[in-house]
Amino acid sequence: MDPRALLETWLNGGTLRPSTAIEYRREVTSWLDWCAQSGVNPYDFGLEHVARWAQEGHLALALNGRPFDGPDTLAWLAHHHPDTAKSHDRRITALTGYYTAARDSGVLRQLPDFKLIRSGVDRDAEPPRRLSPMERVAFFTCLGGWGPRQSG
């Protein structure tokens, strides 16, 4: 299956939020473009290729000449540039989803172990703020009282 067709099939048939699908499309397209320019088969690659793509396209500035050559570099990145490390992890998550779809569609037999090139920076410790039950009741009451005549 064509790698870009797989991308569209995955994103159009999935349950991702539209904003997430847009980000993942951008990241996976960047990866596929890099593969085409570098002569790498996107279905037959090593983690060293993903690391090179990440370093050349996204991490070079933060790494400031440091090679992206393993867990020590990821730990350094997570410590000194946590926002860059989180963005890197989001890119790896996008590739993980894409290659999960490739495996599920029979294009790949086995997923690469992308955990090896994740920085491991935790997301924000606090969960997103949600409405309390009482706030939800008030919100839905207001919505219910706001009918077509009040929408002008």
Side-chain angles (χ1 to χ4, degrees):
M1 173 179 254
D2 176 70
R4 292 176 197 275
L6 173 65
L7 174 61
E8 293 308 314
T9 300
W10 169 54
L11 292 176
N12 293 331
T15 58
L16 297 173
R17 290 187 328 235
S19 59
T20 302
I22 289 168
E23 284 187 38
Y24 284 10
R25 178 176 281 110
R26 183 181 63 238
E27 302 306 350
V28 175
T29 298
S30 169
W31 162 247
L32 295 175
D33 289 347
W34 183 89
C35 286
Q37 294 165 358
S38 302
V40 173
N41 179 341
Y43 294 139
D44 184 23
F45 63 94
L47 292 179
E48 69 276 7
H49 296 113
V50 178
R52 220 169 76 217
W53 163 70
Q55 180 172 357
E56 291 173 7
H58 311 290
L59 300 178
L61 186 62
L63 291 175
N64 195 24
R66 233 182 137 94
F68 183 13
D69 59 2
D72 290 340
T73 302
L74 286 168
W76 182 89
L77 184 68
H79 179 73
H80 294 284
H81 301 283
D83 289 339
T84 301
K86 285 180 189 178
S87 294
H88 168 72
D89 286 354
R90 186 194 71 240
R91 289 180 186 96
I92 300 306
T93 299
L95 290 182
T96 301
Y98 175 73
Y99 283 109
T100 299
R103 183 203 57 208
D104 293 349
S105 65
V107 175
L108 293 179
R109 285 191 213 174
Q110 181 176 331
L111 283 175
D113 190 0
F114 286 113
K115 290 182 298 234
L116 297 172
I117 56 173
R118 290 182 65 86
S119 72
V121 172
D122 290 332
R123 293 180 181 220
D124 296 331
E126 290 188 26
R129 171 88 168 89
R130 305 213 188 280
L131 296 176
S132 71
M134 193 60 156
E135 291 169 326
R136 256 187 251 121
V137 167
F139 177 70
F140 286 121
T141 299
C142 290
L143 279 179
W146 186 64
R149 292 191 181 114
Q150 289 83 12
S151 64

